[in-house]
PDB file of all heavy atoms in Angstrom:
ATOM      1  N   PRO A   5      13.535  47.868 -15.766  1.00  0.00           N
ATOM      2  CA  PRO A   5      14.995  47.996 -15.602  1.00  0.00           C
ATOM      3  C   PRO A   5      15.484  49.426 -15.497  1.00  0.00           C
ATOM      4  O   PRO A   5      16.538  49.663 -14.954  1.00  0.00           O
ATOM      5  CB  PRO A   5      15.539  47.309 -16.869  1.00  0.00           C
ATOM      6  CG  PRO A   5      14.410  47.361 -17.848  1.00  0.00           C
ATOM      7  CD  PRO A   5      13.159  47.252 -17.031  1.00  0.00           C
ATOM      8  N   MET A  14      10.328  59.696  -3.998  1.00  0.00           N
ATOM      9  CA  MET A  14       9.628  60.590  -3.107  1.00  0.00           C
ATOM     10  C   MET A  14      10.378  60.793  -1.796  1.00  0.00           C
ATOM     11  O   MET A  14      10.402  61.876  -1.230  1.00  0.00           O
ATOM     12  CB  MET A  14       8.245  59.991  -2.815  1.00  0.00           C
ATOM     13  CG  MET A  14       7.411  60.752  -1.807  1.00  0.00           C
ATOM     14  SD  MET A  14       5.814  59.945  -1.624  1.00  0.00           S
ATOM     15  CE  MET A  14       6.296  58.326  -1.049  1.00  0.00           C
ATOM     16  N   ASP A  52       0.999  29.299  -5.311  1.00  0.00           N
ATOM     17  CA  ASP A  52       1.360  27.894  -5.116  1.00  0.00           C
ATOM     18  C   ASP A  52       2.254  27.670  -3.904  1.00  0.00           C
ATOM     19  O   ASP A  52       2.680  26.539  -3.638  1.00  0.00           O
ATOM     20  CB  ASP A  52       2.034  27.336  -6.374  1.00  0.00           C
ATOM     21  CG  ASP A  52       3.349  28.043  -6.702  1.00  0.00           C
ATOM     22  OD1 ASP A  52       3.723  28.983  -5.971  1.00  0.00           O
ATOM     23  OD2 ASP A  52       4.000  27.657  -7.692  1.00  0.00           O
ATOM     24  N   GLY A  53       2.557  28.744  -3.153  1.00  0.00           N
ATOM     25  CA  GLY A  53       3.379  28.610  -1.958  1.00  0.00           C
ATOM     26  C   GLY A  53       4.853  28.857  -2.185  1.00  0.00           C
ATOM     27  O   GLY A  53       5.621  28.946  -1.218  1.00  0.00           O
ATOM     28  N   GLU A  65      16.122  45.379  -2.788  1.00  0.00           N
ATOM     29  CA  GLU A  65      16.849  46.444  -3.490  1.00  0.00           C
ATOM     30  C   GLU A  65      16.406  47.826  -3.016  1.00  0.00           C
ATOM     31  O   GLU A  65      17.226  48.732  -2.856  1.00  0.00           O
ATOM     32  CB  GLU A  65      16.634  46.310  -4.997  1.00  0.00           C
ATOM     33  CG  GLU A  65      17.409  45.164  -5.630  1.00  0.00           C
ATOM     34  CD  GLU A  65      17.197  45.100  -7.132  1.00  0.00           C
ATOM     35  OE1 GLU A  65      16.292  45.794  -7.639  1.00  0.00           O
ATOM     36  OE2 GLU A  65      17.947  44.361  -7.802  1.00  0.00           O
ATOM     37  N   GLN A  66      15.106  47.996  -2.797  1.00  0.00           N
ATOM     38  CA  GLN A  66      14.607  49.291  -2.329  1.00  0.00           C
ATOM     39  C   GLN A  66      15.075  49.587  -0.902  1.00  0.00           C
ATOM     40  O   GLN A  66      15.407  50.725  -0.574  1.00  0.00           O
ATOM     41  CB  GLN A  66      13.079  49.314  -2.412  1.00  0.00           C
ATOM     42  CG  GLN A  66      12.568  49.325  -3.844  1.00  0.00           C
ATOM     43  CD  GLN A  66      11.064  49.405  -3.929  1.00  0.00           C
ATOM     44  OE1 GLN A  66      10.456  50.375  -3.504  1.00  0.00           O
ATOM     45  NE2 GLN A  66      10.453  48.369  -4.487  1.00  0.00           N
ATOM     46  N   ILE A  67      15.109  48.550  -0.060  1.00  0.00           N
ATOM     47  CA  ILE A  67      15.633  48.739   1.294  1.00  0.00           C
ATOM     48  C   ILE A  67      17.106  49.123   1.235  1.00  0.00           C
ATOM     49  O   ILE A  67      17.572  50.001   1.982  1.00  0.00           O
ATOM     50  CB  ILE A  67      15.430  47.461   2.133  1.00  0.00           C
ATOM     51  CG1 ILE A  67      13.938  47.256   2.432  1.00  0.00           C
ATOM     52  CG2 ILE A  67      16.222  47.538   3.443  1.00  0.00           C
ATOM     53  CD1 ILE A  67      13.638  45.961   3.158  1.00  0.00           C
ATOM     54  N   GLN A  71      18.837  52.473   2.741  1.00  0.00           N
ATOM     55  CA  GLN A  71      19.990  52.435   3.641  1.00  0.00           C
ATOM     56  C   GLN A  71      21.090  53.373   3.152  1.00  0.00           C
ATOM     57  O   GLN A  71      21.725  54.081   3.939  1.00  0.00           O
ATOM     58  CB  GLN A  71      20.525  51.004   3.747  1.00  0.00           C
ATOM     59  CG  GLN A  71      19.598  50.014   4.416  1.00  0.00           C
ATOM     60  CD  GLN A  71      19.739  49.987   5.927  1.00  0.00           C
ATOM     61  OE1 GLN A  71      19.012  50.664   6.640  1.00  0.00           O
ATOM     62  NE2 GLN A  71      20.669  49.202   6.406  1.00  0.00           N
ATOM     63  N   LEU A  79      12.296  45.460   8.684  1.00  0.00           N
ATOM     64  CA  LEU A  79      11.404  44.691   7.829  1.00  0.00           C
ATOM     65  C   LEU A  79      10.575  43.723   8.666  1.00  0.00           C
ATOM     66  O   LEU A  79      11.117  42.907   9.409  1.00  0.00           O
ATOM     67  CB  LEU A  79      12.220  43.914   6.787  1.00  0.00           C
ATOM     68  CG  LEU A  79      11.444  42.965   5.870  1.00  0.00           C
ATOM     69  CD1 LEU A  79      10.398  43.710   5.049  1.00  0.00           C
ATOM     70  CD2 LEU A  79      12.407  42.204   4.957  1.00  0.00           C
ATOM     71  N   GLY A  86       2.920  30.056   4.620  1.00  0.00           N
ATOM     72  CA  GLY A  86       2.583  29.694   3.257  1.00  0.00           C
ATOM     73  C   GLY A  86       3.611  28.774   2.623  1.00  0.00           C
ATOM     74  O   GLY A  86       3.276  27.780   1.961  1.00  0.00           O
ATOM     75  N   LEU A  97       4.109  13.572   0.811  1.00  0.00           N
ATOM     76  CA  LEU A  97       4.036  12.796  -0.430  1.00  0.00           C
ATOM     77  C   LEU A  97       5.260  11.914  -0.617  1.00  0.00           C
ATOM     78  O   LEU A  97       5.176  10.805  -1.144  1.00  0.00           O
ATOM     79  CB  LEU A  97       3.877  13.727  -1.627  1.00  0.00           C
ATOM     80  CG  LEU A  97       2.526  14.426  -1.771  1.00  0.00           C
ATOM     81  CD1 LEU A  97       2.573  15.423  -2.922  1.00  0.00           C
ATOM     82  CD2 LEU A  97       1.418  13.405  -1.994  1.00  0.00           C
ATOM     83  N   LEU A 142      19.548  37.375  -0.592  1.00  0.00           N
ATOM     84  CA  LEU A 142      19.220  38.593  -1.336  1.00  0.00           C
ATOM     85  C   LEU A 142      19.917  39.822  -0.746  1.00  0.00           C
ATOM     86  O   LEU A 142      20.484  40.639  -1.479  1.00  0.00           O
ATOM     87  CB  LEU A 142      17.703  38.806  -1.345  1.00  0.00           C
ATOM     88  CG  LEU A 142      16.887  37.788  -2.145  1.00  0.00           C
ATOM     89  CD1 LEU A 142      15.392  38.009  -1.932  1.00  0.00           C
ATOM     90  CD2 LEU A 142      17.230  37.855  -3.627  1.00  0.00           C
ATOM     91  N   SER A 144      22.641  39.869   1.026  1.00  0.00           N
ATOM     92  CA  SER A 144      24.087  39.766   0.851  1.00  0.00           C
ATOM     93  C   SER A 144      24.511  40.247  -0.536  1.00  0.00           C
ATOM     94  O   SER A 144      25.633  40.737  -0.710  1.00  0.00           O
ATOM     95  CB  SER A 144      24.548  38.317   1.063  1.00  0.00           C
ATOM     96  OG  SER A 144      24.055  37.460   0.045  1.00  0.00           O
ATOM     97  N   ASP A 147      25.285  43.755  -0.246  1.00  0.00           N
ATOM     98  CA  ASP A 147      26.288  44.028   0.795  1.00  0.00           C
ATOM     99  C   ASP A 147      25.645  44.534   2.079  1.00  0.00           C
ATOM    100  O   ASP A 147      26.170  45.431   2.751  1.00  0.00           O
ATOM    101  CB  ASP A 147      27.323  45.041   0.289  1.00  0.00           C
ATOM    102  CG  ASP A 147      28.159  44.495  -0.860  1.00  0.00           C
ATOM    103  OD1 ASP A 147      28.482  43.295  -0.828  1.00  0.00           O
ATOM    104  OD2 ASP A 147      28.471  45.257  -1.794  1.00  0.00           O
ATOM    105  N   PHE A 153      14.462  38.252  14.030  1.00  0.00           N
ATOM    106  CA  PHE A 153      13.780  38.362  15.320  1.00  0.00           C
ATOM    107  C   PHE A 153      12.434  37.659  15.207  1.00  0.00           C
ATOM    108  O   PHE A 153      11.581  38.064  14.412  1.00  0.00           O
ATOM    109  CB  PHE A 153      13.549  39.829  15.708  1.00  0.00           C
ATOM    110  CG  PHE A 153      14.784  40.571  16.130  1.00  0.00           C
ATOM    111  CD1 PHE A 153      15.623  41.126  15.186  1.00  0.00           C
ATOM    112  CD2 PHE A 153      15.102  40.707  17.478  1.00  0.00           C
ATOM    113  CE1 PHE A 153      16.765  41.812  15.564  1.00  0.00           C
ATOM    114  CE2 PHE A 153      16.246  41.387  17.864  1.00  0.00           C
ATOM    115  CZ  PHE A 153      17.075  41.946  16.908  1.00  0.00           C
ATOM    116  N   ARG A 166      10.526  43.113  26.729  1.00  0.00           N
ATOM    117  CA  ARG A 166      10.399  44.234  25.803  1.00  0.00           C
ATOM    118  C   ARG A 166      11.672  45.079  25.813  1.00  0.00           C
ATOM    119  O   ARG A 166      12.140  45.522  24.763  1.00  0.00           O
ATOM    120  CB  ARG A 166       9.192  45.097  26.165  1.00  0.00           C
ATOM    121  CG  ARG A 166       8.965  46.258  25.190  1.00  0.00           C
ATOM    122  CD  ARG A 166       7.684  46.975  25.483  1.00  0.00           C
ATOM    123  NE  ARG A 166       7.679  47.551  26.822  1.00  0.00           N
ATOM    124  CZ  ARG A 166       6.614  48.110  27.385  1.00  0.00           C
ATOM    125  NH1 ARG A 166       5.466  48.148  26.739  1.00  0.00           N
ATOM    126  NH2 ARG A 166       6.693  48.618  28.593  1.00  0.00           N
ATOM    127  N   ALA A 167      12.234  45.295  26.994  1.00  0.00           N
ATOM    128  CA  ALA A 167      13.470  46.081  27.089  1.00  0.00           C
ATOM    129  C   ALA A 167      14.613  45.379  26.362  1.00  0.00           C
ATOM    130  O   ALA A 167      15.401  46.018  25.651  1.00  0.00           O
ATOM    131  CB  ALA A 167      13.829  46.307  28.559  1.00  0.00           C
ATOM    132  N   TYR A 171      16.506  46.839  23.002  1.00  0.00           N
ATOM    133  CA  TYR A 171      17.954  47.021  23.029  1.00  0.00           C
ATOM    134  C   TYR A 171      18.619  46.262  21.871  1.00  0.00           C
ATOM    135  O   TYR A 171      19.494  46.796  21.178  1.00  0.00           O
ATOM    136  CB  TYR A 171      18.533  46.537  24.364  1.00  0.00           C
ATOM    137  CG  TYR A 171      20.048  46.610  24.424  1.00  0.00           C
ATOM    138  CD1 TYR A 171      20.698  47.817  24.691  1.00  0.00           C
ATOM    139  CD2 TYR A 171      20.821  45.478  24.182  1.00  0.00           C
ATOM    140  CE1 TYR A 171      22.090  47.885  24.722  1.00  0.00           C
ATOM    141  CE2 TYR A 171      22.205  45.538  24.219  1.00  0.00           C
ATOM    142  CZ  TYR A 171      22.836  46.749  24.485  1.00  0.00           C
ATOM    143  OH  TYR A 171      24.208  46.808  24.513  1.00  0.00           O
ATOM    144  N   GLU A 187       6.320  37.038  13.465  1.00  0.00           N
ATOM    145  CA  GLU A 187       5.737  36.414  14.659  1.00  0.00           C
ATOM    146  C   GLU A 187       6.213  34.970  14.753  1.00  0.00           C
ATOM    147  O   GLU A 187       6.316  34.270  13.743  1.00  0.00           O
ATOM    148  CB  GLU A 187       4.209  36.434  14.596  1.00  0.00           C
ATOM    149  CG  GLU A 187       3.569  35.812  15.830  1.00  0.00           C
ATOM    150  CD  GLU A 187       2.053  35.836  15.822  1.00  0.00           C
ATOM    151  OE1 GLU A 187       1.482  36.335  14.837  1.00  0.00           O
ATOM    152  OE2 GLU A 187       1.457  35.358  16.799  1.00  0.00           O
ATOM    153  N   ASN A 194      -0.472  31.974  16.613  1.00  0.00           N
ATOM    154  CA  ASN A 194      -1.209  33.062  15.957  1.00  0.00           C
ATOM    155  C   ASN A 194      -2.707  32.890  16.135  1.00  0.00           C
ATOM    156  O   ASN A 194      -3.461  32.742  15.182  1.00  0.00           O
ATOM    157  CB  ASN A 194      -0.859  33.139  14.470  1.00  0.00           C
ATOM    158  CG  ASN A 194      -1.409  34.408  13.822  1.00  0.00           C
ATOM    159  OD1 ASN A 194      -1.912  35.292  14.501  1.00  0.00           O
ATOM    160  ND2 ASN A 194      -1.302  34.490  12.514  1.00  0.00           N
ATOM    161  N   ALA A 208      -0.661  44.258  12.507  1.00  0.00           N
ATOM    162  CA  ALA A 208      -0.654  44.849  13.843  1.00  0.00           C
ATOM    163  C   ALA A 208       0.738  44.814  14.450  1.00  0.00           C
ATOM    164  O   ALA A 208       1.155  45.746  15.149  1.00  0.00           O
ATOM    165  CB  ALA A 208      -1.641  44.105  14.745  1.00  0.00           C
TER     166      ALA A 208
END
Side-chain angles (χ1 to χ4, degrees):
M14 176 178 60
D52 63 358
E65 286 182 348
Q66 291 182 63
I67 290 175
Q71 294 274 94
L79 175 60
L97 289 174
L142 292 173
S144 67
D147 295 323
F153 287 83
R166 183 173 61 188
Y171 176 80
E187 181 179 1
N194 190 8

